[in-house]
PDB file of all heavy atoms in Angstrom:
ATOM      1  N   GLU A  44       3.779  13.232  41.299  1.00 97.00           N
ATOM      2  CA  GLU A  44       4.529  13.266  42.538  1.00 97.00           C
ATOM      3  C   GLU A  44       4.302  14.619  43.266  1.00 97.00           C
ATOM      4  O   GLU A  44       3.799  15.563  42.534  1.00 97.00           O
ATOM      5  CB  GLU A  44       6.062  13.370  42.002  1.00 97.00           C
ATOM      6  CG  GLU A  44       6.750  12.115  41.820  1.00 97.00           C
ATOM      7  CD  GLU A  44       8.272  12.369  41.706  1.00 97.00           C
ATOM      8  OE1 GLU A  44       8.733  13.437  41.384  1.00 97.00           O
ATOM      9  OE2 GLU A  44       9.013  11.347  41.879  1.00 97.00           O
ATOM     10  N   PRO A  45       4.577  14.596  44.557  1.00 97.00           N
ATOM     11  CA  PRO A  45       4.385  15.799  45.366  1.00 97.00           C
ATOM     12  C   PRO A  45       5.017  17.091  44.743  1.00 97.00           C
ATOM     13  O   PRO A  45       6.107  17.007  44.190  1.00 97.00           O
ATOM     14  CB  PRO A  45       4.857  15.599  46.765  1.00 97.00           C
ATOM     15  CG  PRO A  45       4.947  14.066  46.760  1.00 97.00           C
ATOM     16  CD  PRO A  45       5.249  13.623  45.302  1.00 97.00           C
ATOM     17  N   SER A  46       4.427  18.196  44.970  1.00 97.00           N
ATOM     18  CA  SER A  46       4.975  19.499  44.536  1.00 97.00           C
ATOM     19  C   SER A  46       4.185  20.619  45.352  1.00 97.00           C
ATOM     20  O   SER A  46       3.055  20.533  45.519  1.00 97.00           O
ATOM     21  CB  SER A  46       4.755  19.607  43.061  1.00 97.00           C
ATOM     22  OG  SER A  46       5.091  21.018  42.764  1.00 97.00           O
ATOM     23  N   ARG A  48       5.883  24.392  44.978  1.00 98.00           N
ATOM     24  CA  ARG A  48       6.250  25.403  44.227  1.00 98.00           C
ATOM     25  C   ARG A  48       6.012  25.343  42.692  1.00 98.00           C
ATOM     26  O   ARG A  48       5.499  26.167  41.981  1.00 98.00           O
ATOM     27  CB  ARG A  48       7.799  25.846  44.416  1.00 98.00           C
ATOM     28  CG  ARG A  48       8.089  26.691  45.674  1.00 98.00           C
ATOM     29  CD  ARG A  48       9.464  26.313  46.161  1.00 98.00           C
ATOM     30  NE  ARG A  48       9.394  25.018  46.788  1.00 98.00           N
ATOM     31  CZ  ARG A  48       9.110  24.711  48.037  1.00 98.00           C
ATOM     32  NH1 ARG A  48       8.886  25.656  48.921  1.00 98.00           N
ATOM     33  NH2 ARG A  48       9.090  23.481  48.454  1.00 98.00           N
ATOM     34  N   THR A  49       6.501  24.236  42.188  1.00 98.00           N
ATOM     35  CA  THR A  49       6.402  23.948  40.650  1.00 98.00           C
ATOM     36  C   THR A  49       4.920  24.050  40.212  1.00 98.00           C
ATOM     37  O   THR A  49       4.578  24.821  39.311  1.00 98.00           O
ATOM     38  CB  THR A  49       7.080  22.689  40.348  1.00 98.00           C
ATOM     39  OG1 THR A  49       8.387  22.673  40.789  1.00 98.00           O
ATOM     40  CG2 THR A  49       7.059  22.558  38.824  1.00 98.00           C
ATOM     41  N   ARG A  98       4.733  16.105  35.936  1.00 98.00           N
ATOM     42  CA  ARG A  98       5.720  15.629  36.814  1.00 98.00           C
ATOM     43  C   ARG A  98       5.412  14.161  37.116  1.00 98.00           C
ATOM     44  O   ARG A  98       4.288  13.822  37.420  1.00 98.00           O
ATOM     45  CB  ARG A  98       5.740  16.452  38.187  1.00 98.00           C
ATOM     46  CG  ARG A  98       6.597  15.754  39.250  1.00 98.00           C
ATOM     47  CD  ARG A  98       6.781  16.608  40.436  1.00 98.00           C
ATOM     48  NE  ARG A  98       7.748  17.747  40.168  1.00 98.00           N
ATOM     49  CZ  ARG A  98       8.115  18.566  41.069  1.00 98.00           C
ATOM     50  NH1 ARG A  98       7.737  18.437  42.293  1.00 98.00           N
ATOM     51  NH2 ARG A  98       8.918  19.673  40.806  1.00 98.00           N
ATOM     52  N   ALA A 119       7.956  18.944  34.212  1.00 98.00           N
ATOM     53  CA  ALA A 119       7.982  19.503  35.500  1.00 98.00           C
ATOM     54  C   ALA A 119       8.804  18.635  36.428  1.00 98.00           C
ATOM     55  O   ALA A 119       8.698  18.788  37.749  1.00 98.00           O
ATOM     56  CB  ALA A 119       6.677  19.925  36.069  1.00 98.00           C
ATOM     57  N   HIS A 126      14.782  18.662  35.222  1.00 98.00           N
ATOM     58  CA  HIS A 126      13.823  19.600  35.663  1.00 98.00           C
ATOM     59  C   HIS A 126      14.027  20.936  35.061  1.00 98.00           C
ATOM     60  O   HIS A 126      14.612  21.904  35.647  1.00 98.00           O
ATOM     61  CB  HIS A 126      13.812  19.718  37.294  1.00 98.00           C
ATOM     62  CG  HIS A 126      12.696  20.425  37.957  1.00 98.00           C
ATOM     63  ND1 HIS A 126      11.640  21.063  37.244  1.00 98.00           N
ATOM     64  CD2 HIS A 126      12.415  20.421  39.238  1.00 98.00           C
ATOM     65  CE1 HIS A 126      10.898  21.576  38.109  1.00 98.00           C
ATOM     66  NE2 HIS A 126      11.266  21.131  39.367  1.00 98.00           N
ATOM     67  N   GLN A 129      13.001  24.517  36.334  1.00 98.00           N
ATOM     68  CA  GLN A 129      13.673  24.866  37.599  1.00 98.00           C
ATOM     69  C   GLN A 129      15.079  25.540  37.225  1.00 98.00           C
ATOM     70  O   GLN A 129      15.432  26.524  37.745  1.00 98.00           O
ATOM     71  CB  GLN A 129      13.851  23.680  38.456  1.00 98.00           C
ATOM     72  CG  GLN A 129      14.576  24.040  39.758  1.00 98.00           C
ATOM     73  CD  GLN A 129      13.828  24.902  40.743  1.00 98.00           C
ATOM     74  OE1 GLN A 129      12.678  24.723  40.901  1.00 98.00           O
ATOM     75  NE2 GLN A 129      14.476  25.859  41.370  1.00 98.00           N
ATOM     76  N   SER A 157      19.397  14.157  42.390  1.00 98.00           N
ATOM     77  CA  SER A 157      18.761  15.469  42.249  1.00 98.00           C
ATOM     78  C   SER A 157      18.526  15.794  40.822  1.00 98.00           C
ATOM     79  O   SER A 157      19.550  16.098  40.094  1.00 98.00           O
ATOM     80  CB  SER A 157      19.543  16.491  42.957  1.00 98.00           C
ATOM     81  OG  SER A 157      19.440  16.473  44.187  1.00 98.00           O
ATOM     82  N   ARG A 158      17.345  15.848  40.282  1.00 98.00           N
ATOM     83  CA  ARG A 158      17.096  16.228  38.806  1.00 98.00           C
ATOM     84  C   ARG A 158      17.409  17.720  38.688  1.00 98.00           C
ATOM     85  O   ARG A 158      17.920  18.069  37.618  1.00 98.00           O
ATOM     86  CB  ARG A 158      15.751  15.978  38.409  1.00 98.00           C
ATOM     87  CG  ARG A 158      14.695  16.506  39.378  1.00 98.00           C
ATOM     88  CD  ARG A 158      13.275  15.976  39.112  1.00 98.00           C
ATOM     89  NE  ARG A 158      12.282  16.366  40.135  1.00 98.00           N
ATOM     90  CZ  ARG A 158      11.192  15.678  40.374  1.00 98.00           C
ATOM     91  NH1 ARG A 158      11.010  14.520  39.819  1.00 98.00           N
ATOM     92  NH2 ARG A 158      10.362  16.072  41.187  1.00 98.00           N
ATOM     93  N   THR A 159      17.333  18.552  39.748  1.00 98.00           N
ATOM     94  CA  THR A 159      17.619  19.945  39.658  1.00 98.00           C
ATOM     95  C   THR A 159      19.045  20.193  39.303  1.00 98.00           C
ATOM     96  O   THR A 159      19.320  21.059  38.445  1.00 98.00           O
ATOM     97  CB  THR A 159      17.169  20.739  40.874  1.00 98.00           C
ATOM     98  OG1 THR A 159      17.997  20.135  41.985  1.00 98.00           O
ATOM     99  CG2 THR A 159      15.776  20.721  41.166  1.00 98.00           C
ATOM    100  N   THR A 218      21.269  21.104  47.601  1.00 98.00           N
ATOM    101  CA  THR A 218      20.191  20.239  47.356  1.00 98.00           C
ATOM    102  C   THR A 218      19.795  19.392  48.562  1.00 98.00           C
ATOM    103  O   THR A 218      20.666  19.095  49.391  1.00 98.00           O
ATOM    104  CB  THR A 218      20.433  19.362  46.163  1.00 98.00           C
ATOM    105  OG1 THR A 218      21.481  18.498  46.520  1.00 98.00           O
ATOM    106  CG2 THR A 218      20.739  20.119  44.947  1.00 98.00           C
ATOM    107  N   ARG A 219      18.491  18.954  48.658  1.00 97.00           N
ATOM    108  CA  ARG A 219      18.098  18.034  49.518  1.00 97.00           C
ATOM    109  C   ARG A 219      18.494  16.647  49.250  1.00 97.00           C
ATOM    110  O   ARG A 219      18.474  16.280  48.039  1.00 97.00           O
ATOM    111  CB  ARG A 219      16.519  18.184  49.533  1.00 97.00           C
ATOM    112  CG  ARG A 219      15.746  17.117  50.348  1.00 97.00           C
ATOM    113  CD  ARG A 219      14.225  17.428  50.082  1.00 97.00           C
ATOM    114  NE  ARG A 219      13.753  17.026  48.756  1.00 97.00           N
ATOM    115  CZ  ARG A 219      13.261  15.825  48.408  1.00 97.00           C
ATOM    116  NH1 ARG A 219      13.168  14.867  49.329  1.00 97.00           N
ATOM    117  NH2 ARG A 219      12.908  15.625  47.154  1.00 97.00           N
ATOM    118  N   GLN A 221      17.560  13.187  48.298  1.00 96.00           N
ATOM    119  CA  GLN A 221      16.315  12.757  47.800  1.00 96.00           C
ATOM    120  C   GLN A 221      15.916  11.437  48.326  1.00 96.00           C
ATOM    121  O   GLN A 221      15.925  10.342  47.659  1.00 96.00           O
ATOM    122  CB  GLN A 221      16.445  12.645  46.265  1.00 96.00           C
ATOM    123  CG  GLN A 221      17.047  13.869  45.578  1.00 96.00           C
ATOM    124  CD  GLN A 221      16.059  15.010  45.435  1.00 96.00           C
ATOM    125  OE1 GLN A 221      15.085  14.912  44.661  1.00 96.00           O
ATOM    126  NE2 GLN A 221      16.222  16.203  46.093  1.00 96.00           N
ATOM    127  N   GLU A 223      13.208   9.750  48.872  1.00 95.00           N
ATOM    128  CA  GLU A 223      12.209   8.927  48.129  1.00 95.00           C
ATOM    129  C   GLU A 223      12.850   8.107  46.932  1.00 95.00           C
ATOM    130  O   GLU A 223      12.252   7.167  46.432  1.00 95.00           O
ATOM    131  CB  GLU A 223      11.067   9.783  47.585  1.00 95.00           C
ATOM    132  CG  GLU A 223      11.328  10.807  46.574  1.00 95.00           C
ATOM    133  CD  GLU A 223      11.977  12.095  47.076  1.00 95.00           C
ATOM    134  OE1 GLU A 223      12.654  12.136  48.091  1.00 95.00           O
ATOM    135  OE2 GLU A 223      11.797  13.164  46.285  1.00 95.00           O
ATOM    136  N   ARG A 224      14.095   8.519  46.627  1.00 96.00           N
ATOM    137  CA  ARG A 224      14.700   7.812  45.465  1.00 96.00           C
ATOM    138  C   ARG A 224      15.674   6.733  45.852  1.00 96.00           C
ATOM    139  O   ARG A 224      16.161   5.986  44.997  1.00 96.00           O
ATOM    140  CB  ARG A 224      15.443   8.774  44.603  1.00 96.00           C
ATOM    141  CG  ARG A 224      14.711  10.020  44.173  1.00 96.00           C
ATOM    142  CD  ARG A 224      14.503  10.085  42.670  1.00 96.00           C
ATOM    143  NE  ARG A 224      13.747  11.394  42.469  1.00 96.00           N
ATOM    144  CZ  ARG A 224      12.420  11.446  42.219  1.00 96.00           C
ATOM    145  NH1 ARG A 224      11.692  10.394  42.151  1.00 96.00           N
ATOM    146  NH2 ARG A 224      11.943  12.564  42.008  1.00 96.00           N
ATOM    147  N   HIS A 256      18.900  27.204  46.650  1.00 98.00           N
ATOM    148  CA  HIS A 256      18.363  25.875  46.865  1.00 98.00           C
ATOM    149  C   HIS A 256      17.095  25.871  46.198  1.00 98.00           C
ATOM    150  O   HIS A 256      16.269  26.821  46.177  1.00 98.00           O
ATOM    151  CB  HIS A 256      18.168  25.846  48.397  1.00 98.00           C
ATOM    152  CG  HIS A 256      17.883  24.387  48.918  1.00 98.00           C
ATOM    153  ND1 HIS A 256      16.808  23.610  48.413  1.00 98.00           N
ATOM    154  CD2 HIS A 256      18.436  23.639  49.908  1.00 98.00           C
ATOM    155  CE1 HIS A 256      16.727  22.494  49.101  1.00 98.00           C
ATOM    156  NE2 HIS A 256      17.765  22.431  49.887  1.00 98.00           N
ATOM    157  N   PRO A 257      16.759  24.742  45.446  1.00 98.00           N
ATOM    158  CA  PRO A 257      15.503  24.697  44.718  1.00 98.00           C
ATOM    159  C   PRO A 257      14.249  24.540  45.635  1.00 98.00           C
ATOM    160  O   PRO A 257      13.081  24.783  45.310  1.00 98.00           O
ATOM    161  CB  PRO A 257      15.622  23.413  43.918  1.00 98.00           C
ATOM    162  CG  PRO A 257      16.595  22.534  44.710  1.00 98.00           C
ATOM    163  CD  PRO A 257      17.599  23.542  45.382  1.00 98.00           C
ATOM    164  N   LEU A 258      14.566  24.199  46.960  1.00 98.00           N
ATOM    165  CA  LEU A 258      13.535  23.902  47.977  1.00 98.00           C
ATOM    166  C   LEU A 258      12.571  22.692  47.528  1.00 98.00           C
ATOM    167  O   LEU A 258      12.476  22.535  46.263  1.00 98.00           O
ATOM    168  CB  LEU A 258      12.688  25.014  48.222  1.00 98.00           C
ATOM    169  CG  LEU A 258      13.420  26.333  48.716  1.00 98.00           C
ATOM    170  CD1 LEU A 258      12.450  27.568  48.949  1.00 98.00           C
ATOM    171  CD2 LEU A 258      14.249  26.054  50.029  1.00 98.00           C
ATOM    172  N   PRO A 259      12.030  21.940  48.281  1.00 98.00           N
ATOM    173  CA  PRO A 259      12.069  22.061  49.860  1.00 98.00           C
ATOM    174  C   PRO A 259      13.364  21.753  50.511  1.00 98.00           C
ATOM    175  O   PRO A 259      14.098  20.837  49.977  1.00 98.00           O
ATOM    176  CB  PRO A 259      10.993  21.040  50.184  1.00 98.00           C
ATOM    177  CG  PRO A 259      10.998  19.943  49.172  1.00 98.00           C
ATOM    178  CD  PRO A 259      11.342  20.687  47.947  1.00 98.00           C
ATOM    179  N   ARG A 287       8.236  30.953  34.349  1.00 98.00           N
ATOM    180  CA  ARG A 287       7.181  30.039  33.890  1.00 98.00           C
ATOM    181  C   ARG A 287       6.123  30.760  33.005  1.00 98.00           C
ATOM    182  O   ARG A 287       5.622  30.122  32.029  1.00 98.00           O
ATOM    183  CB  ARG A 287       6.508  29.246  34.971  1.00 98.00           C
ATOM    184  CG  ARG A 287       7.576  28.342  35.680  1.00 98.00           C
ATOM    185  CD  ARG A 287       7.097  27.163  36.440  1.00 98.00           C
ATOM    186  NE  ARG A 287       8.058  26.279  36.733  1.00 98.00           N
ATOM    187  CZ  ARG A 287       8.712  25.979  37.950  1.00 98.00           C
ATOM    188  NH1 ARG A 287       8.362  26.668  39.020  1.00 98.00           N
ATOM    189  NH2 ARG A 287       9.653  25.139  37.884  1.00 98.00           N
TER     190      ARG A 287
HETATM  191  C1  NCD B 301      12.816  19.946  43.471  1.00 66.26           C
HETATM  192  C2  NCD B 301      12.319  18.814  42.628  1.00 66.26           C
HETATM  193  O1  NCD B 301      11.064  18.488  42.740  1.00 66.26           O
HETATM  194  O2  NCD B 301      13.099  18.210  41.950  1.00 66.26           O
HETATM  195  N1  NCD B 301      11.870  20.807  43.950  1.00 66.26           N
HETATM  196  C3  NCD B 301      11.343  21.852  43.066  1.00 66.26           C
HETATM  197  O3  NCD B 301      10.793  21.641  42.066  1.00 66.26           O
HETATM  198  N2  NCD B 301      11.742  23.099  43.399  1.00 66.26           N
HETATM  199  C4  NCD B 301      13.795  19.629  44.452  1.00 66.26           C
HETATM  200  C5  NCD B 301      13.574  18.587  45.511  1.00 66.26           C
HETATM  201  O4  NCD B 301      12.461  17.926  45.584  1.00 66.26           O
HETATM  202  O5  NCD B 301      14.423  18.316  46.318  1.00 66.26           O
END
Side-chain angles (χ1 to χ4, degrees):
E44 272 194 340
S46 170
R48 279 149 289 270
T49 306
R98 167 170 289 185
H126 194 349
Q129 178 69 41
S157 290
R158 54 196 172 202
T159 55
T218 61
R219 169 181 74 89
Q221 309 279 298
E223 68 278 25
R224 311 243 183 258
H256 193 303
L258 302 180
R287 292 201 163 109

